[in-house]
Amino acid sequence: MTSTTADAESSAAAPLLDLQALVVAVRRRRRLWCSMALLGLLIGAVVAVLLPPPPTAVTKVLVAHQADQPNDSGTLIRTDVALLQTTQIADRALRSLKSSEKPEDFMGAYRGTGLTNNLLQIDVTGGSDAEAVARAKALADAFVADHVGRMREAAKAEAQALLDQRDRMRDELAQVNKAIGDRSPGSDPKASASIESLFARRAELNSRISDFDQRAADARTGTPRLISGTQIVDAPRAVRHSLPKAALTDAAIGLVLGLVLGLAVAAVGTVVADRPVLRREIAANLGASVIAELRHVPRRQAGPWQRRRTRAARERLATTLARTVRGSTEPVSLLELGCAHSTSVIALDLAEALAPDGPVVIVDGLPGPQLADRRQEPGGPAVVRREHAADVPHEEYRLGVGSVAPGAAWTGLPYLGGQTVLVVRAGHGSAAWLHTVARQLADLSIPVIGVVLIDPDPRDRTDGTLWDGLHTALRGHNERLARRNHGGTSHAVPAVGEDRRRTERLPMCAARVRDSDQEAR
Protein backbone atom coordinates (compact mmCIF):
# COMPACT_ATOMS: atom_id res chain seq x y z
CA MET A 1 0.00 0.00 0.00
CA THR A 2 1.40 3.40 -0.97
CA SER A 3 1.85 6.24 1.47
CA THR A 4 -0.78 8.31 -0.35
CA THR A 5 -3.36 5.58 0.07
CA ALA A 6 -2.45 5.13 3.72
CA ASP A 7 -2.78 8.88 4.35
CA ALA A 8 -6.16 8.94 2.61
CA GLU A 9 -7.45 6.05 4.70
CA SER A 10 -6.14 7.62 7.90
CA SER A 11 -7.79 10.93 7.04
CA ALA A 12 -11.07 9.17 6.26
CA ALA A 13 -10.90 7.24 9.54
CA ALA A 14 -10.23 10.40 11.57
CA PRO A 15 -13.38 11.80 13.23
CA LEU A 16 -14.78 15.10 12.06
CA LEU A 17 -14.76 16.39 15.64
CA ASP A 18 -12.47 14.92 18.29
CA LEU A 19 -14.53 15.08 21.46
CA GLN A 20 -11.56 14.29 23.68
CA ALA A 21 -9.56 17.17 22.27
CA LEU A 22 -12.62 19.42 22.52
CA VAL A 23 -13.16 18.58 26.19
CA VAL A 24 -9.50 19.11 27.00
CA ALA A 25 -9.40 22.43 25.15
CA VAL A 26 -12.56 23.68 26.87
CA ARG A 27 -11.21 22.60 30.24
CA ARG A 28 -7.97 24.48 29.55
CA ARG A 29 -10.01 27.62 28.90
CA ARG A 30 -11.63 27.44 32.29
CA ARG A 31 -10.56 30.98 33.03
CA LEU A 32 -12.87 32.18 30.26
CA TRP A 33 -16.02 30.32 31.28
CA CYS A 34 -15.34 30.76 34.99
CA SER A 35 -14.97 34.50 34.42
CA MET A 36 -18.20 34.62 32.42
CA ALA A 37 -20.00 32.61 35.11
CA LEU A 38 -18.72 35.02 37.76
CA LEU A 39 -19.72 37.98 35.60
CA GLY A 40 -23.22 36.53 35.21
CA LEU A 41 -23.46 36.05 38.97
CA LEU A 42 -22.44 39.66 39.62
CA ILE A 43 -24.79 41.01 36.96
CA GLY A 44 -27.69 39.02 38.42
CA ALA A 45 -26.99 40.32 41.92
CA VAL A 46 -26.63 43.91 40.68
CA VAL A 47 -29.87 43.70 38.71
CA ALA A 48 -31.71 42.46 41.80
CA VAL A 49 -30.38 45.39 43.82
CA LEU A 50 -30.69 48.18 41.25
CA LEU A 51 -33.90 47.00 39.57
CA PRO A 52 -36.17 45.71 42.33
CA PRO A 53 -39.59 44.42 41.32
CA PRO A 54 -42.46 46.94 41.49
CA PRO A 55 -44.95 46.81 44.40
CA THR A 56 -47.28 43.91 43.75
CA ALA A 57 -50.55 42.75 45.27
CA VAL A 58 -52.17 39.34 44.85
CA THR A 59 -55.69 38.04 45.36
CA LYS A 60 -57.49 34.77 44.66
CA VAL A 61 -61.03 34.34 43.35
CA LEU A 62 -63.11 31.17 43.50
CA VAL A 63 -64.99 30.91 40.22
CA ALA A 64 -68.11 28.70 39.99
CA HIS A 65 -69.09 27.50 36.53
CA GLN A 66 -72.48 26.22 35.47
CA ALA A 67 -70.88 23.58 33.24
CA ASP A 68 -68.29 22.33 35.74
CA GLN A 69 -67.11 18.77 35.07
CA PRO A 70 -64.67 16.68 37.12
CA ASN A 71 -62.70 15.79 34.00
CA ASP A 72 -62.43 19.36 32.73
CA SER A 73 -58.95 20.06 31.34
CA GLY A 74 -58.92 23.70 32.43
CA THR A 75 -60.78 25.17 29.48
CA LEU A 76 -63.23 27.11 31.64
CA ILE A 77 -60.57 28.68 33.87
CA ARG A 78 -58.50 29.61 30.81
CA THR A 79 -61.60 31.33 29.45
CA ASP A 80 -61.85 33.28 32.69
CA VAL A 81 -58.19 34.30 32.43
CA ALA A 82 -58.80 35.52 28.89
CA LEU A 83 -61.90 37.43 29.99
CA LEU A 84 -59.88 39.09 32.75
CA GLN A 85 -57.60 40.55 30.08
CA THR A 86 -60.39 42.50 28.39
CA THR A 87 -61.02 46.21 28.25
CA GLN A 88 -64.52 45.74 29.69
CA ILE A 89 -63.26 44.43 33.03
CA ALA A 90 -60.30 46.83 33.05
CA ASP A 91 -62.59 49.79 32.38
CA ARG A 92 -65.01 48.70 35.14
CA ALA A 93 -62.11 48.42 37.62
CA LEU A 94 -60.75 51.84 36.62
CA ARG A 95 -64.18 53.40 37.04
CA SER A 96 -64.40 52.03 40.58
CA LEU A 97 -60.94 53.46 41.25
CA LYS A 98 -61.93 56.77 39.64
CA SER A 99 -58.77 56.63 37.57
CA SER A 100 -58.20 58.31 34.24
CA GLU A 101 -55.77 55.66 33.07
CA LYS A 102 -56.54 53.98 29.78
CA PRO A 103 -57.83 50.41 29.99
CA GLU A 104 -55.23 49.29 27.46
CA ASP A 105 -52.43 50.60 29.68
CA PHE A 106 -53.97 49.14 32.81
CA MET A 107 -54.20 45.71 31.22
CA GLY A 108 -50.39 45.53 31.16
CA ALA A 109 -50.21 46.03 34.93
CA TYR A 110 -51.96 42.81 35.92
CA ARG A 111 -52.21 39.19 34.90
CA GLY A 112 -54.37 36.23 35.79
CA THR A 113 -53.26 32.67 36.49
CA GLY A 114 -55.49 29.63 36.70
CA LEU A 115 -54.32 27.64 39.72
CA THR A 116 -57.06 25.00 39.46
CA ASN A 117 -60.24 24.54 37.44
CA ASN A 118 -62.08 26.94 39.76
CA LEU A 119 -59.35 29.05 41.40
CA LEU A 120 -58.07 32.21 39.72
CA GLN A 121 -55.10 34.21 41.00
CA ILE A 122 -54.76 37.87 40.07
CA ASP A 123 -51.40 39.70 40.34
CA VAL A 124 -51.46 43.49 40.06
CA THR A 125 -48.61 46.02 40.18
CA GLY A 126 -48.83 49.62 41.30
CA GLY A 127 -46.86 52.62 42.36
CA SER A 128 -47.04 51.58 46.01
CA ASP A 129 -48.29 48.68 48.08
CA ALA A 130 -51.51 50.49 48.92
CA GLU A 131 -52.18 51.32 45.30
CA ALA A 132 -51.46 47.75 44.24
CA VAL A 133 -53.86 46.37 46.88
CA ALA A 134 -56.59 48.82 45.81
CA ARG A 135 -56.12 47.86 42.19
CA ALA A 136 -56.29 44.15 43.01
CA LYS A 137 -59.52 44.60 44.98
CA ALA A 138 -61.15 46.68 42.24
CA LEU A 139 -60.10 44.21 39.59
CA ALA A 140 -61.36 41.21 41.58
CA ASP A 141 -64.69 42.94 42.27
CA ALA A 142 -65.02 43.86 38.60
CA PHE A 143 -64.35 40.28 37.54
CA VAL A 144 -66.81 38.82 40.08
CA ALA A 145 -69.48 41.33 39.07
CA ASP A 146 -68.97 40.56 35.39
CA HIS A 147 -69.02 36.81 36.01
CA VAL A 148 -72.16 37.03 38.17
CA GLY A 149 -73.90 39.29 35.66
CA ARG A 150 -73.15 36.87 32.85
CA MET A 151 -74.49 33.94 34.91
CA ARG A 152 -77.69 35.84 35.75
CA GLU A 153 -78.27 36.81 32.16
CA ALA A 154 -77.68 33.24 31.06
CA ALA A 155 -80.06 31.86 33.72
CA LYS A 156 -82.68 34.46 32.91
CA ALA A 157 -82.46 33.72 29.21
CA GLU A 158 -82.70 29.99 29.85
CA ALA A 159 -85.70 30.36 32.18
CA GLN A 160 -87.46 32.69 29.76
CA ALA A 161 -86.91 30.22 26.91
CA LEU A 162 -88.43 27.43 29.03
CA LEU A 163 -91.39 29.58 30.00
CA ASP A 164 -92.00 30.54 26.38
CA GLN A 165 -92.00 26.88 25.47
CA ARG A 166 -94.44 26.19 28.35
CA ASP A 167 -96.77 28.91 27.14
CA ARG A 168 -96.82 27.38 23.68
CA MET A 169 -97.68 24.03 25.23
CA ARG A 170 -100.56 25.68 27.20
CA ASP A 171 -101.95 27.21 24.04
CA GLU A 172 -101.91 23.84 22.38
CA LEU A 173 -103.52 22.29 25.49
CA ALA A 174 -106.33 24.83 25.33
CA GLN A 175 -107.00 23.84 21.74
CA VAL A 176 -107.04 20.16 22.69
CA ASN A 177 -109.51 20.82 25.55
CA LYS A 178 -111.72 22.79 23.21
CA ALA A 179 -111.68 19.93 20.71
CA ILE A 180 -112.65 17.47 23.41
CA GLY A 181 -115.49 19.68 24.61
CA ASP A 182 -116.93 19.99 21.11
CA ARG A 183 -117.18 16.25 20.68
CA SER A 184 -120.36 14.56 21.88
CA PRO A 185 -120.23 10.98 23.10
CA GLY A 186 -121.43 8.50 20.45
CA SER A 187 -121.32 4.93 19.48
CA ASP A 188 -119.25 5.54 16.34
CA PRO A 189 -115.98 3.55 16.71
CA LYS A 190 -114.03 6.14 14.70
CA ALA A 191 -115.25 8.96 16.93
CA SER A 192 -114.29 6.99 20.02
CA ALA A 193 -110.72 6.49 18.68
CA SER A 194 -110.37 10.20 17.92
CA ILE A 195 -111.50 11.16 21.42
CA GLU A 196 -108.99 8.70 22.89
CA SER A 197 -106.15 10.30 20.94
CA LEU A 198 -107.16 13.77 22.13
CA PHE A 199 -107.16 12.60 25.74
CA ALA A 200 -103.69 11.08 25.26
CA ARG A 201 -102.43 14.33 23.70
CA ARG A 202 -103.86 16.34 26.61
CA ALA A 203 -102.07 14.09 29.10
CA GLU A 204 -98.80 14.48 27.23
CA LEU A 205 -99.12 18.27 27.09
CA ASN A 206 -99.88 18.45 30.81
CA SER A 207 -96.74 16.41 31.51
CA ARG A 208 -94.52 18.59 29.29
CA ILE A 209 -95.96 21.78 30.79
CA SER A 210 -95.12 20.51 34.26
CA ASP A 211 -91.61 19.61 33.08
CA PHE A 212 -91.01 23.07 31.61
CA ASP A 213 -92.26 24.65 34.82
CA GLN A 214 -89.83 22.52 36.82
CA ARG A 215 -86.89 23.29 34.53
CA ALA A 216 -87.58 27.00 34.61
CA ALA A 217 -87.76 26.89 38.39
CA ASP A 218 -84.47 24.99 38.55
CA ALA A 219 -82.83 27.53 36.26
CA ARG A 220 -83.96 30.36 38.51
CA THR A 221 -83.05 28.63 41.76
CA GLY A 222 -79.63 27.36 40.57
CA THR A 223 -78.28 30.79 39.80
CA PRO A 224 -78.04 31.99 43.44
CA ARG A 225 -75.95 28.93 44.26
CA LEU A 226 -73.48 29.72 41.48
CA ILE A 227 -73.46 33.39 42.41
CA SER A 228 -72.70 32.64 46.04
CA GLY A 229 -69.97 30.21 44.94
CA THR A 230 -68.13 32.92 42.98
CA GLN A 231 -66.32 35.01 45.55
CA ILE A 232 -62.97 36.40 46.68
CA VAL A 233 -61.44 33.70 48.86
CA ASP A 234 -58.10 35.41 49.48
CA ALA A 235 -58.31 39.12 50.22
CA PRO A 236 -55.90 41.36 48.28
CA ARG A 237 -52.56 41.67 50.02
CA ALA A 238 -49.20 43.16 49.19
CA VAL A 239 -46.46 40.73 48.22
CA ARG A 240 -43.37 41.12 50.38
CA HIS A 241 -40.12 40.98 48.40
CA SER A 242 -36.95 39.83 50.16
CA LEU A 243 -33.91 41.57 48.70
CA PRO A 244 -31.41 38.88 49.80
CA LYS A 245 -33.61 36.13 48.38
CA ALA A 246 -34.13 38.01 45.13
CA ALA A 247 -30.40 38.72 44.87
CA LEU A 248 -29.54 35.05 45.46
CA THR A 249 -32.11 33.91 42.91
CA ASP A 250 -31.00 36.37 40.23
CA ALA A 251 -27.34 35.64 40.98
CA ALA A 252 -27.93 31.90 40.59
CA ILE A 253 -29.73 32.46 37.29
CA GLY A 254 -26.93 34.73 36.09
CA LEU A 255 -24.33 32.18 37.17
CA VAL A 256 -25.98 29.40 35.19
CA LEU A 257 -26.51 31.56 32.11
CA GLY A 258 -22.95 32.89 32.24
CA LEU A 259 -21.53 29.40 32.66
CA VAL A 260 -23.52 28.04 29.72
CA LEU A 261 -22.56 31.00 27.55
CA GLY A 262 -18.92 30.71 28.56
CA LEU A 263 -18.80 26.99 27.77
CA ALA A 264 -20.45 27.63 24.41
CA VAL A 265 -17.98 30.42 23.54
CA ALA A 266 -15.04 28.27 24.65
CA ALA A 267 -16.23 25.30 22.59
CA VAL A 268 -16.88 27.37 19.46
CA GLY A 269 -13.59 29.20 19.84
CA THR A 270 -11.74 25.91 20.23
CA VAL A 271 -13.25 24.46 17.09
CA VAL A 272 -12.62 27.63 15.07
CA ALA A 273 -9.06 28.19 16.31
CA ASP A 274 -8.02 24.53 15.80
CA ARG A 275 -5.19 24.66 18.33
CA PRO A 276 -3.90 21.18 19.19
CA VAL A 277 -3.59 20.44 22.91
CA LEU A 278 -3.07 16.67 23.04
CA ARG A 279 0.34 15.07 22.75
CA ARG A 280 -0.68 12.92 19.80
CA GLU A 281 -1.97 15.92 17.84
CA ILE A 282 1.13 18.03 18.44
CA ALA A 283 3.44 15.13 17.58
CA ALA A 284 1.50 14.32 14.41
CA ASN A 285 1.42 17.94 13.23
CA LEU A 286 5.13 18.53 13.88
CA GLY A 287 6.30 15.12 12.71
CA ALA A 288 8.38 14.70 15.88
CA SER A 289 7.96 12.86 19.15
CA VAL A 290 7.14 14.48 22.47
CA ILE A 291 10.18 13.62 24.58
CA ALA A 292 9.27 15.49 27.77
CA GLU A 293 6.54 17.48 29.45
CA LEU A 294 7.07 20.44 31.72
CA ARG A 295 4.73 22.71 33.54
CA HIS A 296 4.76 26.36 32.66
CA VAL A 297 7.55 28.06 34.56
CA PRO A 298 5.93 31.01 36.36
CA ARG A 299 7.69 34.34 36.60
CA ARG A 300 6.58 34.73 40.20
CA GLN A 301 7.75 32.54 43.02
CA ALA A 302 5.72 29.32 43.27
CA GLY A 303 4.90 27.28 46.35
CA PRO A 304 7.49 24.92 47.90
CA TRP A 305 5.73 21.75 46.72
CA GLN A 306 5.39 23.14 43.21
CA ARG A 307 9.03 24.20 43.21
CA ARG A 308 10.19 20.70 44.16
CA ARG A 309 8.04 18.99 41.55
CA THR A 310 8.90 21.44 38.78
CA ARG A 311 12.58 21.38 39.68
CA ALA A 312 12.69 17.57 39.46
CA ALA A 313 11.05 17.62 36.02
CA ARG A 314 13.50 20.29 34.85
CA GLU A 315 16.46 18.27 36.06
CA ARG A 316 15.26 15.17 34.22
CA LEU A 317 14.77 17.18 31.04
CA ALA A 318 18.19 18.83 31.36
CA THR A 319 19.85 15.43 31.84
CA THR A 320 18.14 14.03 28.74
CA LEU A 321 19.03 17.01 26.58
CA ALA A 322 22.61 17.11 27.91
CA ARG A 323 23.12 13.48 26.90
CA THR A 324 21.96 14.35 23.39
CA VAL A 325 24.18 17.44 23.12
CA ARG A 326 27.25 15.49 24.24
CA GLY A 327 26.67 12.86 21.55
CA SER A 328 26.12 15.37 18.77
CA THR A 329 28.78 16.84 16.49
CA GLU A 330 26.61 19.84 15.62
CA PRO A 331 25.26 22.57 17.86
CA VAL A 332 21.78 21.99 19.23
CA SER A 333 19.20 24.74 19.43
CA LEU A 334 16.04 25.21 21.47
CA LEU A 335 13.25 26.83 19.44
CA GLU A 336 10.22 28.06 21.34
CA LEU A 337 6.60 28.50 20.32
CA GLY A 338 4.57 30.43 22.87
CA CYS A 339 6.88 29.85 25.86
CA ALA A 340 9.94 32.10 25.62
CA HIS A 341 10.45 32.32 29.38
CA SER A 342 10.24 28.56 29.89
CA THR A 343 12.65 28.00 26.99
CA SER A 344 15.18 30.38 28.50
CA VAL A 345 14.92 28.52 31.84
CA ILE A 346 15.41 25.16 30.07
CA ALA A 347 18.46 26.58 28.26
CA LEU A 348 20.01 27.71 31.55
CA ASP A 349 19.32 24.31 33.13
CA LEU A 350 20.92 22.58 30.14
CA ALA A 351 23.95 24.86 30.29
CA GLU A 352 24.29 24.07 33.98
CA ALA A 353 24.16 20.34 33.22
CA LEU A 354 26.86 20.75 30.54
CA ALA A 355 29.10 22.96 32.69
CA PRO A 356 31.20 20.07 34.12
CA ASP A 357 32.20 19.06 30.55
CA GLY A 358 33.50 22.46 29.57
CA PRO A 359 32.52 26.07 28.97
CA VAL A 360 29.05 26.66 27.54
CA VAL A 361 27.92 29.58 25.42
CA ILE A 362 24.24 30.35 24.87
CA VAL A 363 23.44 32.07 21.59
CA ASP A 364 20.37 34.18 22.28
CA GLY A 365 18.00 34.50 19.34
CA LEU A 366 14.84 35.20 21.32
CA PRO A 367 12.90 38.31 20.34
CA GLY A 368 12.65 39.58 23.93
CA PRO A 369 15.18 40.27 26.66
CA GLN A 370 14.92 36.78 28.12
CA LEU A 371 18.65 36.03 28.23
CA ALA A 372 20.55 38.95 26.69
CA ASP A 373 19.80 41.34 29.57
CA ARG A 374 20.38 38.68 32.21
CA ARG A 375 23.22 39.33 34.63
CA GLN A 376 25.87 36.67 34.20
CA GLU A 377 26.66 34.83 37.39
CA PRO A 378 30.20 33.66 38.24
CA GLY A 379 30.80 30.25 36.68
CA GLY A 380 27.58 30.46 34.70
CA PRO A 381 27.20 30.19 30.93
CA ALA A 382 28.07 33.10 28.70
CA VAL A 383 25.24 34.62 26.70
CA VAL A 384 25.86 36.24 23.31
CA ARG A 385 23.50 37.60 20.73
CA ARG A 386 22.88 35.74 17.49
CA GLU A 387 24.96 38.25 15.55
CA HIS A 388 28.07 37.16 17.46
CA ALA A 389 27.51 33.42 17.09
CA ALA A 390 30.44 33.10 14.65
CA ASP A 391 32.86 34.35 17.31
CA VAL A 392 32.17 31.41 19.64
CA PRO A 393 35.15 29.00 19.73
CA HIS A 394 34.53 25.50 18.45
CA GLU A 395 35.93 24.01 21.65
CA GLU A 396 33.00 25.32 23.67
CA TYR A 397 29.50 23.92 23.80
CA ARG A 398 27.26 26.20 21.82
CA LEU A 399 23.57 26.16 22.64
CA GLY A 400 21.24 28.25 20.51
CA VAL A 401 17.91 29.60 21.74
CA GLY A 402 15.43 30.99 19.24
CA SER A 403 11.80 31.30 18.28
CA VAL A 404 9.54 29.85 15.60
CA ALA A 405 6.57 32.01 16.55
CA PRO A 406 4.77 33.96 13.81
CA GLY A 407 7.03 36.78 12.66
CA ALA A 408 10.29 34.99 13.44
CA ALA A 409 13.14 35.13 10.92
CA TRP A 410 13.58 31.64 9.45
CA THR A 411 16.93 32.45 7.82
CA GLY A 412 18.60 32.96 11.18
CA LEU A 413 17.72 29.54 12.58
CA PRO A 414 20.66 27.62 10.99
CA TYR A 415 23.07 29.89 12.92
CA LEU A 416 21.58 28.75 16.20
CA GLY A 417 22.17 25.03 15.65
CA GLY A 418 22.28 22.26 13.08
CA GLN A 419 19.54 20.33 14.92
CA THR A 420 16.84 21.49 17.25
CA VAL A 421 14.47 20.67 20.07
CA LEU A 422 11.11 22.38 19.77
CA VAL A 423 9.69 23.78 23.00
CA VAL A 424 5.97 24.16 22.33
CA ARG A 425 3.26 25.36 24.64
CA ALA A 426 0.15 23.19 24.37
CA GLY A 427 -2.79 24.97 22.77
CA HIS A 428 -0.75 27.99 21.67
CA GLY A 429 -0.14 27.38 17.98
CA SER A 430 -2.74 26.35 15.44
CA ALA A 431 -2.46 23.14 13.47
CA ALA A 432 -1.69 25.14 10.32
CA TRP A 433 1.20 26.94 12.02
CA LEU A 434 2.63 23.69 13.40
CA HIS A 435 2.59 22.37 9.84
CA THR A 436 4.39 25.54 8.73
CA VAL A 437 7.08 25.15 11.39
CA ALA A 438 7.73 21.52 10.43
CA ARG A 439 7.87 22.40 6.74
CA GLN A 440 10.22 25.36 7.22
CA LEU A 441 12.61 23.36 9.40
CA ALA A 442 12.63 20.56 6.84
CA ASP A 443 13.39 23.06 4.06
CA LEU A 444 16.26 24.46 6.16
CA SER A 445 17.59 20.89 6.71
CA ILE A 446 17.29 21.27 10.48
CA PRO A 447 16.24 17.92 11.95
CA VAL A 448 13.90 18.00 14.93
CA ILE A 449 15.27 15.80 17.70
CA GLY A 450 12.06 15.98 19.70
CA VAL A 451 9.39 18.17 21.24
CA VAL A 452 9.23 19.46 24.80
CA LEU A 453 5.61 20.12 25.67
CA ILE A 454 5.00 23.02 28.04
CA ASP A 455 1.88 23.27 30.16
CA PRO A 456 0.33 19.96 29.03
CA ASP A 457 -3.06 18.77 30.14
CA PRO A 458 -2.55 16.71 33.33
CA ARG A 459 -5.22 14.22 32.24
CA ASP A 460 -3.78 13.66 28.79
CA ARG A 461 -3.13 9.95 28.33
CA THR A 462 -2.58 9.98 24.58
CA ASP A 463 0.69 8.75 23.08
CA GLY A 464 2.91 11.40 21.54
CA THR A 465 5.54 9.12 19.98
CA LEU A 466 5.58 8.53 16.23
CA TRP A 467 6.56 4.88 16.22
CA ASP A 468 6.78 4.73 12.43
CA GLY A 469 9.50 7.38 12.50
CA LEU A 470 12.02 6.27 15.10
CA HIS A 471 14.52 8.86 13.90
CA THR A 472 12.31 11.56 15.42
CA ALA A 473 12.53 10.23 18.98
CA LEU A 474 15.61 10.60 21.14
CA ARG A 475 15.65 6.91 21.95
CA GLY A 476 15.11 5.87 18.35
CA HIS A 477 17.67 8.42 17.16
CA ASN A 478 20.41 7.13 19.44
CA GLU A 479 19.59 3.49 18.74
CA ARG A 480 19.72 4.09 15.02
CA LEU A 481 23.07 5.82 15.38
CA ALA A 482 24.37 2.87 17.37
CA ARG A 483 23.22 0.41 14.70
CA ARG A 484 24.72 2.50 11.90
CA ASN A 485 28.05 3.01 13.67
CA HIS A 486 28.44 -0.48 15.17
CA GLY A 487 26.42 -2.65 12.76
CA GLY A 488 28.17 -5.78 11.44
CA THR A 489 28.07 -5.06 7.71
CA SER A 490 30.70 -5.87 5.13
CA HIS A 491 30.65 -2.37 3.63
CA ALA A 492 33.04 0.38 4.54
CA VAL A 493 31.85 2.47 7.46
CA PRO A 494 32.15 6.23 6.90
CA ALA A 495 33.56 8.61 9.44
CA VAL A 496 31.64 9.01 12.62
CA GLY A 497 30.93 12.69 12.18
CA GLU A 498 29.91 12.30 8.55
CA ASP A 499 27.60 9.37 9.30
CA ARG A 500 26.02 11.16 12.21
CA ARG A 501 25.35 14.30 10.24
CA ARG A 502 23.85 12.32 7.41
CA THR A 503 21.72 10.29 9.79
CA GLU A 504 20.50 13.40 11.55
CA ARG A 505 19.74 15.36 8.38
CA LEU A 506 18.34 12.83 6.01
CA PRO A 507 15.05 11.84 7.64
CA MET A 508 13.84 15.36 8.27
CA CYS A 509 14.76 16.62 4.82
CA ALA A 510 12.50 14.04 3.25
CA ALA A 511 9.83 14.13 5.94
CA ARG A 512 6.52 15.85 5.51
CA VAL A 513 3.93 16.41 8.23
CA ARG A 514 0.99 14.05 7.90
CA ASP A 515 -2.53 14.88 8.86
CA SER A 516 -3.26 11.45 10.36
CA ASP A 517 -2.41 10.28 13.84
CA GLN A 518 0.60 7.99 13.77
CA GLU A 519 1.02 7.15 17.40
CA ALA A 520 0.41 3.76 19.00
CA ARG A 521 -3.07 3.69 20.44
Side-chain angles (χ1 to χ4, degrees), residues 260-290:
V260 172
L261 182 60
L263 290 174
V265 171
V268 173
T270 298
V271 174
V272 173
D274 190 19
R275 299 178 182 272
V277 293
L278 298 178
R279 286 196 301 265
R280 68 182 181 198
E281 295 180 336
I282 295 176
N285 287 317
L286 288 174
S289 298
V290 176

Side-chain angles (χ1 to χ4, degrees), residues 19-342:
L19 293 181
Q20 181 183 8
L22 178 63
V23 171
V24 171
V26 171
R27 186 169 62 241
R28 289 175 62 87
R29 301 185 69 181
R30 54 184 173 271
R31 289 186 179 180
L32 172 64
W33 46 266
C34 286
S35 300
M36 296 193 69
L38 181 60
L39 180 63
L41 185 145
L42 295 177
I43 291 177
V46 169
V47 167
V49 174
L50 298 182
L51 299 176
T56 306
V58 62
T59 183
K60 295 178 182 178
V61 179
L62 180 64
V63 184
H65 302 103
Q66 189 174 5
D68 270 335
Q69 296 293 333
N71 58 351
D72 181 56
S73 59
T75 305
L76 296 177
I77 197 66
R78 286 197 297 269
T79 302
D80 294 330
V81 171
L83 288 173
L84 182 66
Q85 296 287 342
T86 57
T87 56
Q88 180 179 353
I89 295 181
D91 183 65
R92 179 177 292 184
L94 290 174
R95 285 202 305 268
S96 64
L97 292 171
K98 298 180 180 180
S99 173
S100 59
E101 186 178 0
K102 295 182 179 180
E104 293 79 5
D105 298 335
F106 181 54
M107 288 167 57
Y110 67 87
R111 62 183 177 89
T113 306
L115 302 180
T116 65
N117 291 344
N118 298 97
L119 192 60
L120 176 65
Q121 177 176 306
I122 303 175
D123 298 279
V124 188
T125 60
S128 62
D129 290 342
E131 182 182 357
V133 170
R135 284 185 164 192
K137 186 177 185 307
L139 194 60
D141 291 339
F143 175 79
V144 170
D146 180 79
H147 186 74
V148 168
R150 284 187 289 105
M151 283 193 300
R152 283 177 175 171
E153 292 296 330
K156 183 179 179 181
E158 183 181 1
Q160 187 62 41
L162 293 173
L163 293 177
D164 292 342
Q165 190 70 11
R166 182 203 61 182
D167 293 339
R168 286 195 296 270
M169 295 294 104
R170 284 181 175 178
D171 294 340
E172 186 177 355
L173 178 61
Q175 295 177 3
V176 171
N177 289 332
K178 184 175 182 300
I180 293 174
D182 294 340
R183 297 291 180 92
S184 58
S187 59
D188 188 0
K190 292 183 179 181
S192 298
S194 177
I195 293 176
E196 288 293 335
S197 63
L198 290 175
F199 277 109
R201 180 58 179 168
R202 184 173 65 177
E204 180 184 358
L205 291 174
N206 285 327
S207 175
R208 295 184 64 180
I209 289 172
S210 299
D211 180 59
F212 281 123
D213 283 334
Q214 183 65 34
R215 289 170 62 184
D218 291 341
R220 287 192 299 266
T221 58
T223 302
R225 178 177 58 83
L226 295 176
I227 291 175
S228 61
T230 302
Q231 56 183 328
I232 300 175
V233 294
D234 191 1
R237 56 183 176 82
V239 178
R240 302 301 176 187
H241 295 283
S242 175
L243 182 59
K245 183 178 179 180
L248 288 176
T249 302
D250 293 351
I253 296 174
L255 175 67
V256 173
L257 294 179
L259 180 61
V260 172
L261 182 60
L263 290 174
V265 171
V268 173
T270 298
V271 174
V272 173
D274 190 19
R275 299 178 182 272
V277 293
L278 298 178
R279 286 196 301 265
R280 68 182 181 198
E281 295 180 336
I282 295 176
N285 287 317
L286 288 174
S289 298
V290 176
I291 60 176
E293 293 181 339
L294 189 66
R295 296 185 59 184
H296 177 65
V297 180
R299 296 180 181 272
R300 59 180 179 84
Q301 193 71 10
W305 64 93
Q306 295 180 348
R307 288 200 302 268
R308 288 195 299 268
R309 186 167 53 188
T310 304
R311 186 61 184 175
R314 287 166 51 186
E315 290 176 356
R316 290 194 298 269
L317 176 60
T319 303
T320 302
L321 295 179
R323 185 166 57 247
T324 304
V325 173
R326 292 189 187 102
S328 175
T329 59
E330 293 186 3
V332 177
S333 64
L334 299 177
L335 302 180
E336 65 86 22
L337 179 58
C339 48
H341 178 67
S342 299

